Amino acid sequence: MTALAFVGALGMLLIFTAFFNVEAMAPRTRLERKFEEMGVMPERARISMLRQRPWLDRLLGSALQGWVERLLLLLPSEADEKKLLRAAFPSPYSNLSDLYAWKVLLSLALFLMGLVFTLLVGKVGFLLLALGLALFGFYLPDIHLSQAANRRKEEMLVEMSYVLDRMAIQLAAGRTLPVVITQLAESPGGWFSLELRQIARDYNSGVALVEAIEAMAERNDVDEVTRLASRLVVSIRRGTNLADALQVMARTTRERVESLILSRGLLNSVLMPIPIGLIVMLGVGLAIMAPGLFLALRNL
């Protein structure tokens, strides 16, 4: 039981660290930041950067390095990079190596939990349970990435529903598209504002506006963003009116958001009675079985 409790505590610790990214942060001085900009890394700055890494990464990073390198060679890393990009690199997956490290770590942790349970029960057949837990742990980061990508997509749609109206108003006032994008990028916002900020940054660095907009469509697997990028590119190349089209897209996006909210509400209304129904069924079952159990125990 002590070993099972230890493995269970380790699993809870890993899950807590995965979702909350506990870090031991150390302050950096202005001189250290200047050294980093110059490409010079003194000893104190290296120690400071090491302390900024999560403690679990510092503890197990070197041990997982070999497994991560093997996975980088075996698995389709391009597909996983797209998953990370769609989810905007949520914590603790700051890069592809972190994603594979968590896959290995969670798989090993859940396999050890299943193995300890198999040893305590004493049934060899429960090894299949340990293997199933290992497989589940390996794909658990993918589930996390999928949820983060869906959440980011919904938040982007909500923001687009009113930012497109603001863009249409400014274009109707006679401002050019680069000026409108730059002004909207400077205002606070969410994921869509970050995409506009990236477009403005690319455009100011010398990238063509069409290429910056097409890069936004490639970064996001969102139909509304793809249609917006196509409409903006057509307007830039042909000089067509854009304000009316943006107003139509804003109205369509609001309708999409309303349908998402409605479907989410219907799903919650269907799932809400399930816990109550289970409690009622448990109570009814106990009420029916209690007399029989009482008589059976009394006759023992």
Side-chain angles (χ1 to χ4, degrees):
M1 293 301 294
T2 304
L4 182 61
F6 174 75
V7 175
L10 178 61
M12 293 299 296
L13 183 62
L14 294 175
I15 294 173
F16 177 81
T17 308
F19 282 99
F20 295 98
N21 195 22
V22 181
E23 296 182 358
M25 300 298 294
R28 292 192 302 171
T29 64
R30 183 180 301 176
L31 182 61
E32 290 171 356
R33 290 194 296 269
K34 191 66 176 178
F35 274 127
E36 291 181 15
E37 295 174 0
M38 295 172 59
V40 181
M41 189 64 61
E43 185 66 23
R44 182 180 176 184
R46 284 198 296 267
I47 296 175
S48 177
M49 290 189 64
L50 179 63
R51 290 177 178 175
Q52 290 177 10
R53 296 170 57 193
W55 64 268
L56 190 60
D57 189 10
R58 300 199 304 269
L59 181 63
L60 300 176
S62 59
L64 297 176
Q65 185 67 31
W67 291 94
V68 172
E69 292 177 355
R70 292 185 181 92
L71 288 177
L72 287 172
L73 296 175
L74 295 176
L75 295 180
S77 57
E78 294 182 357
D80 292 327
E81 287 179 355
K82 289 182 179 179
K83 292 179 183 179
L84 287 171
L85 191 61
R86 301 288 186 267
F89 297 92
S91 176
Y93 316 116
S94 59
N95 51 52
L96 191 61
S97 297
D98 288 345
L99 174 63
Y100 288 166
W102 277 105
K103 281 177 172 288
V104 174
L105 191 60
L106 292 176
S107 180
L108 288 176
L110 293 181
F111 177 75
L112 289 177
M113 293 176 62
L115 186 61
V116 171
F117 180 77
T118 303
L119 293 176
L120 292 176
V121 173
K123 300 292 185 180
V124 182
F126 281 95
L127 282 175
L128 296 176
L129 175 63
L131 294 176
L133 288 175
L135 186 63
F136 174 73
F138 186 82
Y139 287 104
L140 190 59
D142 293 329
I143 298 174
H144 186 197
L145 283 180
S146 178
Q147 293 175 350
N150 292 332
R151 183 168 58 251
R152 179 175 180 268
K153 178 180 178 180
E154 293 176 358
E155 293 175 358
M156 184 176 293
L157 289 177
V158 173
E159 188 179 6
M160 285 181 61
S161 63
Y162 62 86
V163 172
L164 291 181
D165 277 330
R166 294 169 55 191
M167 186 181 296
I169 292 173
Q170 295 190 28
L171 288 173
R175 295 177 178 176
T176 61
L177 183 59
V179 173
V180 172
I181 292 177
T182 303
Q183 290 183 352
L184 292 176
E186 294 175 353
S187 60
W191 293 113
F192 187 63
S193 296
L194 290 176
E195 292 294 337
L196 294 180
R197 196 169 301 136
Q198 183 62 42
I199 293 176
R201 189 181 300 114
D202 294 340
Y203 178 75
N204 293 329
S205 63
V207 180
L209 184 59
V210 172
E211 295 180 1
I213 294 174
E214 291 176 347
M216 177 189 68
E218 293 178 0
R219 287 192 300 268
N220 299 275
D221 188 18
V222 182
D223 295 336
E224 286 75 10
V225 175
T226 303
R227 286 195 292 268
L228 173 63
S230 300
R231 191 67 183 84
L232 293 178
V233 170
V234 171
S235 177
I236 294 171
R237 291 176 174 173
R238 300 182 181 178
T240 57
N241 184 20
L242 192 59
D244 296 336
L246 289 180
Q247 289 179 351
V248 173
M249 294 185 69
R251 183 169 60 252
T252 305
T253 306
R254 281 193 294 270
E255 293 175 355
R256 174 72 185 280
V257 172
E258 291 175 359
S259 64
L260 287 175
I261 295 175
L262 181 60
S263 61
R264 185 72 56 81
L266 291 176
L267 180 61
N268 292 336
S269 64
V270 171
L271 296 178
M272 191 180 301
I274 293 179
I276 300 176
L278 292 176
I279 295 175
V280 172
M281 291 177 61
L282 180 61
V284 172
L286 290 176
I288 295 175
M289 296 175 61
L293 292 175
F294 176 77
L295 293 176
L297 295 175
R298 186 176 180 180
N299 293 330
L300 290 177

